[in-house]
Amino acid sequence: MRIGLGYDVHKLVYNRHLILGGVIIPFNRGLLGHSDADVLTHAIMDSLLGASCLGDIGKYFPDQDERYKDVSSLSLLSKVLDLIRDNNYIIENIDSTIIAEKPKLSPYIKYMRANIARTLNIDISSISIKATTEEGLGFTGKGEGIAAQSICLLNKNLSALK
């Protein structure tokens, strides 16, 4: 049994789409980043890589590499799945929290869960995504950015070892 923790943060800017869990969220700003800047998916990837002791997303998808410019983070998540499967791990569950003052995210969470579950080829019941605010405190509370945290549980795929 392996537990991994992931965290990501990006600044909110104008003239970008806001993408969380592969869902385009209607909002007047989006997240700044080399890829689509999907903080939720980035945090999930880091939790999976951490649990399997494979490093972090910067190791595999550096922000200086033009191949990853504006790329969908769900496609990167699929590559992370290949890495953890190559190391004989299976995903038991993922629990994530998005930290954003605005916009309200509850109407979109079921779509985020479905995207993550489909990309990881696991049941949606293994994916928990929550959203919270910071009551006006800090950079997320002031609406300057959005953060996400994720924790996951992996197990060795014993049938693959036989």
Side-chain angles (χ1 to χ4, degrees):
M1 180 180 343
R2 306 291 295 260
I3 297 170
L5 180 65
Y7 174 81
D8 196 37
V9 60
H10 285 275
K11 180 179 179 177
L12 281 164
V13 296
Y14 293 97
N15 300 315
R16 292 272 298 194
H17 288 293
L18 177 58
I19 301 171
L20 297 169
V23 177
I24 297 176
I25 310 290
F27 194 55
N28 65 346
R29 290 175 289 159
L31 295 169
L32 180 63
H34 185 68
S35 67
D36 63 6
D38 182 340
V39 293
L40 172 62
T41 304
H42 292 182
I44 289 170
M45 288 189 288
D46 268 345
S47 69
L48 293 168
L49 289 168
S52 50
C53 290
L54 293 172
D56 63 22
I57 61 175
K59 176 179 176 179
Y60 299 97
F61 317 113
D63 61 8
Q64 304 86 8
D65 192 328
E66 285 302 310
R67 291 179 295 171
Y68 306 118
K69 178 77 173 136
D70 297 322
V71 71
S72 165
S73 293
L74 291 179
S75 69
L76 301 180
L77 181 60
S78 179
K79 294 176 189 297
V80 168
L81 177 61
D82 292 341
L83 288 167
I84 64 172
R85 282 184 173 166
D86 288 348
N87 284 272
N88 295 315
Y89 287 106
I90 56 171
I91 302 166
E92 295 294 339
N93 77 302
I94 296 170
D95 183 24
S96 301
T97 303
I98 304 165
I99 305 147
E101 204 66 22
K102 291 181 182 176
K104 292 295 180 195
L105 298 173
S106 58
Y108 308 101
I109 287 178
K110 64 183 173 186
Y111 303 109
M112 294 178 206
R113 290 179 66 218
N115 284 343
I116 300 296
R118 185 173 35 259
T119 302
L120 294 174
N121 197 28
I122 60 176
D123 193 88
I124 196 167
S125 66
S126 296
I127 306 290
S128 172
I129 299 172
K130 304 170 299 295
T132 191
T133 69
E134 291 198 297
E135 305 296 330
L137 300 173
F139 72 93
T140 57
K142 293 176 185 166
E144 297 170 359
I146 294 178
Q149 300 174 344
S150 179
I151 191 164
C152 72
L153 176 65
L154 303 182
N155 271 313
K156 275 291 188 183
N157 184 356
L158 300 178
S159 63
L161 298 175
K162 293 179 182 179

